[in-house]
Each structure stands twice: as C-alpha cells, then as structure tokens.
Amino acid sequence: MPLRLLKIIREQHAKRPSFFFKKPNPRQPPCNAKHRAEWNFSHRRVNLPGGTATPRWKCPNNRLSSPLFMYRSTSCNSLRKEHSGQSVTLAGWVNSRRDHGGVIFIDLRDRDGLTQVVFRPEEHPQVSEAAHGLRGEDVIQITGKVSPRLNGTENSKLATGDIEVIACELTILNKSDVPPFPLDSKLANEDLRLNYRYLDLRRSEMAQNLKTRHRVTKATRDYLDEKGFLEIETPILSNPTPEGARDFLVPSRLNPGSFYALPQAPQQYKQLLQVAGLEKYFQIARCFRDEDLRADRQPEFTQIDVEASFVTESELQSLIEGLLFRVFKETRGVEIPTPFPRMTYADAMDRFGSDKPDLRFGMELKSLTEVFKDTQFKVFRSVLDGGGVIKAINAKGAAEHISKEQLKKWEEWVKTELGAKGLAYIRFKDGEWESPIVKFFTDAEKKALAEIMEFHEGDVLFFGADQWQPASEVLGRVRLRAAELLKLIEDSSALKFLWVVDFPLLQFSPEDNHWAAVHHPFTRPRTEDLHLMESGDYGKIRAVAYDVVLNGVELGGGSIRIHERDLQSKLFGILGVGPEEQQIKFGHLLKAFSFGAPPHGGIALGLDRLVMLLCGAESIREVIAFPKNNRGVDLMTQSPVEVEPRLLRDLAISSTAKKA
RNA sequence: GGAGUCUUAGCUCAAUUGGUUAGAGCGCCGCCCUGUCACGGCGGAGGUUGCGGGUUCGAGCCCCGUAGACUCCGCCA
C-alpha cells in the first residue's frame, strides 16, 4: 500500500514556523466511532514535534488515533455565529479560491457543505504563503479561529455565511490534478462523468441524491420493521427463469456445464418464505435483467420487495401507501394524501390510453364510435365494420404550438414508432377546421363531434381509429406528447398517486401462439372469474394484481398469489407448461404448495425510480452511485472485460464471440 | 435488431450561402492585486473539427461509410 507523504505547514500564534512530514497509520483510522462521539468545538490541540530541513516522520503511530489529534473537529456545514472565538480544525477539498495577492479566501468543502477559510498574511505569513499554491480539489486540513464575518461581507447563500475561519495552520493532505471537468458549473458529457464518477459524485447534487436514497432505504427499513416485517436475504446465485426477461448466467465450476442465473426478482423465494411461515418478509433486493437499457432501466437495479401471508389486496395497498407516506415525509417533508385513488386497468386504458396514467393533467380519451356509427368516411367505416373504435383527445390550445408540418411529423412518428396506421387530426385555427378528413364528415357528425370533444378555437383534435387496445395506446402516447408540447407538467410539484387494479391475468401472444402471464405466472385470478378458466375465455380473466403509479411512472406492482397446488398447476397448463416441464422447473414450488401453503401476496417497488422521482432526476443513473451506460458498460472500470482463456477452461465454457 | 439526435480547445458552446489564420466563456499557466464569495486586471498556452473515404478550385459545414454517446421502438414489469 503506497503511503503518501503528507506535508504539514503549521504555524502557532507565536509565529514559530515549523515544517515536517508525517504519514498516517492506515491501520488505525484517526476518527473511530468513539472519538467521533468526542468531537467538540473546543478540543485542545497539541504541538507536534517537528524539524525544518529533513522530511521526517516524527509523530508516533498511536498519535493519530489519540483524541488529542484528529483530522477535524467538525464539519464544513456546522459552524455558526455562536461558535465565534472557538478554535476548530476542518478537513476537506478546496472548492474555490479567491486569491487577492494579500488576503486569500478558500471555500473548503466536505460532504456536508462549505466554509470560508481566510488566510491573512499580516497574521500568519508562512501559512498564507503556502495557501497561494492551493488549487481546486486539493485536500487540506486547516486549523483556525471561528470569526464573525466583517460587517457587510456575510454571504446569505451559504449556511455558514455569517462566519469564516481565520487559518493559523494549513496541512496539505493531498494535492489534486486539474479535474477533467468542472465540478461546479454546467454538467459535462455523461460519459465523461461516468468515466470519473468519483469526481462527479463530489458534486453536491449527486451527493444529495445518494443521501436521499439512503433516507428512502432507512425509512423503508424502519417502517416495515415497525409493521412486523423481517428483512431476509435470498440467494443471488439462483435458477434461470423460464418466462420473462433474459437471465444473466453464471457458470458453475464445481458442476461443469451447469449454470446459475442471477435473480430477476426474488419471486419464488419470497413465496417460499411464506410457505415457511415467516409471514412478513421484505428485502431491499438487487435484481438483474439482461435486456436492452433505457433511461429508467439498468441491468442491475434495486427493488423494495415485500411479501406477506394472510393479507388481502387492500391491506397490502394500505401498507404500501403508509410506506410511501413515510418515505415522502422523511425525504421531502410532504404529506401525501392517502389512500390513493383506485382505477381499473380497463378504465385507465379507456380514459388515458395507458396502464400507468399521468393524472397531473386531463386531456382524456373520448369515444366517438357512436358519432360515426353511420359514417361514409372509408377509413373509419372499415375500422368500425371490423369491430374497432373511434376515439379522440382534445389538445386544448395546441393550434398555435403546432404547425401543419409538425402535425405531419407526428403522424410519421405514430406510424414508424408506434406501428399505428395513421394519426388523423383537426386543427381549429382562425375559425377554420384544418384537416384532411373533415370533408368526409356530415354536418351532424361535425356537430356531435364538437360537442363531445368540447372543440373550440385554438384546439387540436387527434383521432385514433383501430381496435380498442391499439387505438387507446396510440392516443395515450399522443396525449403525453401533447402535454409536453403544451408544457402542462413543467414546474409541477403535483404528486398524483393511484392504484391501477384488475389487470388481465393473461394476454395472447400472436408471435409465440400461446397465452402469457401479464404479471407473472403465480398471480391469482379473481375468484369471480375462475369459471372463465374452464370456459377457455382466458383473455377476460382478471387478476388480483395492482400497480402503484406516480405521475405516469410505474413505481411498482404486485399481486395476491396462487397458494393452491392444483390451481397453480392448471395455470401453468394454460401457459403451455406441461406436467413434465412443471416438475422440472417448478417442482419445488408445487411440492411446497402441497404442504399447507398459506394465502399470501406481495409487491415490489422500484427503488431507483422512486428515488429518481424524489430527486427530480431524469434518469435512474443520477441516483445510482456507479451505474452502467446504455450498452451496459461501466466506463470507469471498463466492465465487462474479456477474460483469460484459462478462466473459461476452468468453467468448462468457451466463447464464440468473433474477435475484432 | 430498428429509428432519431449529437460528436469542434480540458469543459460548455459559436462559426452567416461551402470561402481569409476555426472563435467565445469557463478552466489552465505566468504576472499584478489585502475583504472576496462565479473576486478582479493584464498577458500566454491550448485544435488531426470523432475516424475513414468522396464531391469541390476550396469542406467544421454537402454525400457515403464507420465508431461512440444519448433518447425512443422492439425487448423488458
């Protein structure tokens, strides 16, 4: 371990300068818990022996661990006017320097804040001379006297702005190279920030984000502990999941040719803990999914994972409402209104075109199927004849914000990106209905349309004509984009929570030609829909599943699970998993269910997304200390890397990747 | 796998219709400066315009390819 020499320049009030070197004892941190408790503003300092010419280590090893010598007596955000006159020692980074040739000001930064340090040549010439050489990000330790700032020089922008510390000692603990990007101004490229993440995290904004994250997990643990939940860890090395996302595989050296998988979620384990009779489980669980990344998706992410026995849907929802209340109270200081409104999946899709509707604004989808039931407009006619629907939204006041050219671009966008057949629109400008389709409408249709949509001067209508689901989804996306255009959600501090409930249990997948679980295969069908499993009307079965949504972001989702062996087996069958495959892949679970599994259910919240929203960040990368980029690469460590062939041999695997 | 946007000094960005030696602010280096707080003043260094090719008398700018970053679709709760 390289030991850095530490240059100490110290000067006592008697102006007896001495220069010497010291090194810390790496095995004995100077600030252990016991000594931290003894920090105070009036601790005594001791003179360290020193020579002048030869750099020498003079301080006995145990000196550093003595409470009489510490790196600092307090933090850079703690000193106020009432501490005036006290002698303090601060340690931190040079945030900025203002060198007037004579007097020098340094803003000293640590995790908690800034303190202005003053070097006065007329009082401490040697120390001030050394201070001229200070540069940004140097790590220093200073000792000095807390003084009220001169009249009129207080800085209201700083919490410590009423005081400054007049330095009489300066120790340069470690010089810094010039940082590759400024830490105080506009944000640099994200890849540069990720390359030097340890510097990026020095910025107070990032430090704040990580503090908020800590408070969220702390509040979560406190709250769930109070509610009787046990934090239980589950394996990271587990089995591949047959359904859902791609797994990260881990080869087993001891069992050549066999693989573990990293868990996509602790789903089966948390259910087995219920069978085990632990009754109330939670975990701040790391989850892994090998899928393409997004601003709100990382290959590894964290869930607040909860499962309980003998609970109903509404009990679980109240529990989570209480948790979110606590989290928002302790991080943002706001009291969110509970209980959250409930909306069925069918309602959410029909009115907002989304299973995670953003309720901060209206612009609801309206059905025009009735208006156009006799239409001669060919496009609408064929949709209606095919059992489809006509729906529309009214972007109030959008006419002045969007040109005809832009409207064409929007149409292009829904076609290429959303796979829609088109996007009809009417722009109400200067008393005219500008639209390629209005000429096909009868006067009666126009009148009814205007009435239902409350269509007025300055508005823009968007139409969706398709089967109910795709028509709603496309308009749901247009609704969000229109809200962005109209700046409906900018600067909004609104927090619109809701539960979306009664999700469909199953959805038919045309590509794979079989039914797939919408939530996951352990989700419980609603009792009143059980008969549909017999009749084969699988698409109409509703699940006891619920998502909690905030401002259009899915914070988490859960369900009441199947706890009966036979029902679970039957559902696997519908999903196309035959009895043999069930035994191989889910035998342990089915067997467990046959030993008196209690009714149970749970939920998982996306911690990263939750913290992102609490921090007002645009990406979960802003609330993860060391995230990976778009391609799953950690730019700082270059992970993932190629490995020695020998390592692959040990694991009995080989790579088929083509070398560049 | 696909689409879009972007890539110019250490950082953030300019550069008119394709036209002289590619500029500015910040940062950096040097000198000056005793109450600043994004201190100030003077001076200086710093560029293969991501990379490769093409069109042109002439390319940072136009075209083709390629690499990388970000956003989105597919994928993924």
Side-chain angles (χ1 to χ4, degrees):
Chain A
M1 155 150 196
L3 290 172
R4 284 189 181 270
L5 290 179
L6 308 172
K7 186 178 180 188
I8 295 192
I9 306 159
R10 54 179 52 232
E11 184 173 354
Q12 298 306 316
H13 294 274
K15 295 187 181 173
R16 181 180 57 79
S18 63
F19 299 86
F20 60 93
F21 290 77
K22 71 183 171 78
K23 63 180 179 182
N25 179 349
R27 274 164 299 187
Q28 268 181 306
C31 300
N32 62 31
K34 176 168 167 267
H35 300 137
R36 205 172 296 131
E38 292 170 11
W39 282 9
N40 57 62
F41 296 120
S42 56
H43 79 285
R44 287 168 48 223
R45 289 196 59 89
V46 291
N47 269 323
L48 295 180
T52 49
T54 322
R56 273 181 305 162
W57 167 242
K58 287 278 194 167
C59 186
N61 276 356
N62 61 4
R63 200 33 128 357
L64 277 173
S65 63
S66 153
L68 294 178
F69 183 90
M70 297 181 282
Y71 275 119
R72 54 184 177 183
S73 62
T74 188
S75 85
C76 288
N77 196 28
S78 63
L79 297 173
R80 300 291 183 270
K81 226 167 191 166
E82 58 265 31
H83 303 119
S84 298
Q86 294 180 351
S87 176
V88 295
T89 299
L90 299 174
W93 289 262
V94 174
N95 196 61
S96 62
R97 72 198 149 94
R98 294 175 289 281
D99 186 341
H100 290 249
V103 67
I104 302 164
F105 300 97
I106 295 285
D107 284 345
L108 190 64
R109 183 193 71 233
D110 67 13
R111 198 185 75 177
D112 299 315
L114 292 176
T115 298
Q116 173 163 286
V117 179
V118 189
F119 295 91
R120 287 180 176 152
E122 72 274 16
E123 293 179 33
H124 308 290
Q126 248 82 17
V127 169
S128 296
E129 185 57 34
H132 282 301
L134 292 176
R135 292 295 181 271
E137 301 311 309
D138 286 348
V139 182
I140 63 171
Q141 176 194 42
I142 65 104
T143 296
K145 191 179 274 185
V146 181
S147 303
R149 293 210 187 172
L150 303 180
N151 259 343
T153 66
E154 298 88 352
N155 185 350
S156 58
K157 283 187 253 172
L158 289 184
T160 59
D162 284 340
I163 58 95
E164 58 197 6
V165 175
I166 316 293
C168 58
E169 294 180 21
L170 167 65
T171 306
I172 298 173
L173 298 170
N174 209 349
K175 289 289 289 180
S176 171
D177 283 347
V178 177
F181 57 90
L183 302 187
D184 55 350
S185 60
K186 233 189 298 189
L187 278 186
N189 266 329
E190 198 175 2
D191 54 334
L192 196 65
R193 292 173 55 204
L194 290 175
N195 235 304
Y196 296 91
R197 190 60 158 183
Y198 42 85
L199 295 181
D200 190 38
L201 295 179
R202 283 185 193 170
R203 298 187 305 108
S204 65
E205 192 187 331
M206 292 304 285
Q208 280 305 328
N209 289 357
L210 293 181
K211 282 183 202 172
T212 298
R213 189 178 177 117
H214 164 75
R215 283 195 208 104
V216 172
T217 52
K218 173 80 163 64
T220 298
R221 289 196 162 98
D222 290 347
Y223 174 84
L224 290 173
D225 173 63
E226 287 162 23
K227 297 285 179 185
F229 283 76
L230 305 178
E231 184 170 11
I232 301 171
E233 290 165 280
T234 53
I236 292 293
L237 296 177
S238 49
N239 270 348
T241 325
E243 284 205 48
R246 251 188 299 272
D247 290 301
F248 282 101
L249 289 179
V250 180
S252 165
R253 179 182 56 82
L254 296 176
N255 303 277
S258 293
F259 294 82
Y260 303 100
L262 305 182
Q264 296 181 24
Q267 183 59 38
Q268 292 189 38
Y269 292 109
K270 71 175 179 176
Q271 288 191 243
L272 290 164
L273 285 169
Q274 303 312 307
V275 181
L278 272 306
E279 294 195 20
K280 292 176 175 183
Y281 142 95
F282 85 99
Q283 186 180 187
I284 313 280
R286 194 65 67 88
C287 305
F288 306 85
R289 287 174 195 165
D290 188 10
E291 293 292 348
D292 287 5
L293 307 181
R294 290 281 194 284
D296 61 353
R297 253 194 260 161
Q298 283 272 302
E300 52 181 308
F301 59 99
T302 307
Q303 283 188 345
I304 299 171
D305 198 43
V306 177
E307 193 83 6
S309 297
F310 311 116
V311 287
T312 61
E313 178 179 22
S314 63
E315 283 171 307
L316 270 165
Q317 288 167 349
S318 309
L319 176 82
I320 296 306
E321 283 164 354
L323 171 62
L324 289 169
F325 181 92
R326 177 80 157 260
V327 163
F328 274 78
K329 177 84 181 164
E330 291 192 12
T331 55
R332 273 199 170 187
V334 298
E335 302 198 346
I336 57 174
T338 57
F340 307 155
R342 266 72 165 169
M343 190 183 295
T344 65
Y345 167 85
D347 240 15
M349 287 303 296
D350 201 47
R351 292 170 55 196
F352 300 95
S354 168
D355 62 357
K356 44 178 194 285
D358 190 336
L359 299 187
R360 286 176 295 177
F361 60 99
M363 214 194 294
E364 292 192 23
L365 282 58
K366 300 266 172 65
S367 174
L368 297 174
T369 306
E370 198 55 30
V371 172
F372 289 107
K373 65 176 190 293
D374 298 320
T375 187
Q376 294 312 305
F377 177 36
K378 266 195 252 167
V379 176
F380 284 6
R381 186 72 264 148
S382 67
V383 165
L384 290 174
D385 289 346
V389 298
I390 312 293
K391 302 179 83 171
I393 55 168
N394 184 354
K396 286 254 164 229
E400 57 173 326
H401 292 105
I402 189 161
S403 64
K404 280 185 191 171
E405 290 72 32
Q406 284 169 308
L407 283 166
K408 283 196 184 114
K409 279 191 181 162
W410 282 39
E411 185 166 12
E412 198 55 33
W413 162 67
V414 299
K415 280 185 185 167
T416 56
E417 289 199 18
L418 310 180
K421 296 182 188 78
L423 180 68
Y425 58 86
I426 307 174
R427 184 162 173 257
F428 202 149
K429 193 146 191 286
D430 304 324
E432 299 284 319
W433 286 21
E434 299 172 358
S435 168
I437 59 166
V438 165
K439 59 185 175 221
F440 301 111
F441 295 174
T442 65
D443 286 344
E445 284 165 353
K446 283 190 220 172
K447 184 161 176 285
L449 167 76
E451 202 168 299
I452 290 177
M453 300 309 299
E454 295 171 35
F455 191 37
H456 299 300
E457 171 72 29
D459 296 350
V460 178
L461 289 190
F462 293 100
F463 293 83
D466 205 331
Q467 296 302 305
W468 175 80
Q469 179 110 8
S472 303
E473 280 175 6
V474 166
L475 277 185
R477 295 289 300 271
V478 174
R479 174 178 174 268
L480 291 179
R481 188 156 175 189
E484 204 177 307
L485 179 80
L486 294 167
K487 301 187 180 3
L488 292 182
I489 45 184
E490 265 184 21
D491 307 320
S492 167
S493 59
L495 297 168
K496 294 289 187 182
F497 287 92
L498 83 151
W499 289 102
V500 177
V501 300
D502 290 354
F503 276 82
L505 182 73
L506 300 164
Q507 191 165 34
F508 190 75
S509 161
E511 305 95 68
D512 309 320
N513 195 35
H514 70 70
W515 289 90
V518 169
H519 187 58
H520 56 54
F522 316 110
T523 306
R524 183 169 201 79
R526 287 185 72 103
T527 310
E528 58 267 41
D529 290 351
L530 276 174
H531 66 278
L532 295 167
M533 286 179 81
E534 309 301 333
S535 64
D537 211 349
Y538 300 144
K540 287 192 179 150
I541 306 171
R542 288 166 301 166
V544 192
Y546 32 85
D547 279 3
V548 59
V549 174
L550 168 58
N551 293 351
V553 176
E554 181 196 328
L555 281 185
S559 61
I560 301 297
R561 328 294 185 190
I562 296 169
H563 61 276
E564 306 95 322
R565 185 194 166 113
D566 292 349
L567 182 58
Q568 183 67 72
S569 188
K570 184 184 287 181
L571 186 60
F572 280 144
I574 292 173
L575 292 170
V577 184
E580 256 178 60
E581 199 181 352
Q582 286 181 30
Q583 271 314 309
I584 296 167
K585 289 176 177 166
F586 301 106
H588 56 286
L589 195 72
L590 292 170
K591 196 189 283 176
F593 283 176
S594 66
F595 288 104
H600 61 282
I603 191 167
L605 303 179
L607 176 69
D608 309 281
R609 281 184 197 173
L610 176 60
V611 178
M612 175 181 90
L613 291 173
L614 285 164
C615 293
E618 299 266 305
S619 155
I620 61 170
R621 294 188 296 268
E622 298 294 304
V623 300
I624 296 172
F626 299 104
K628 297 183 171 51
N629 76 359
N630 237 354
R631 293 192 316 163
V633 173
D634 179 342
L635 291 171
M636 189 178 65
T637 63
Q638 292 303 315
S639 173
V641 293
E642 287 181 18
V643 297
E644 304 270 327
R646 185 180 56 80
L647 292 176
L648 294 183
R649 258 201 322 275
D650 287 351
L651 296 167
I653 58 176
S654 66
S655 170
T656 60
K658 286 182 188 140
K659 291 233 171 174

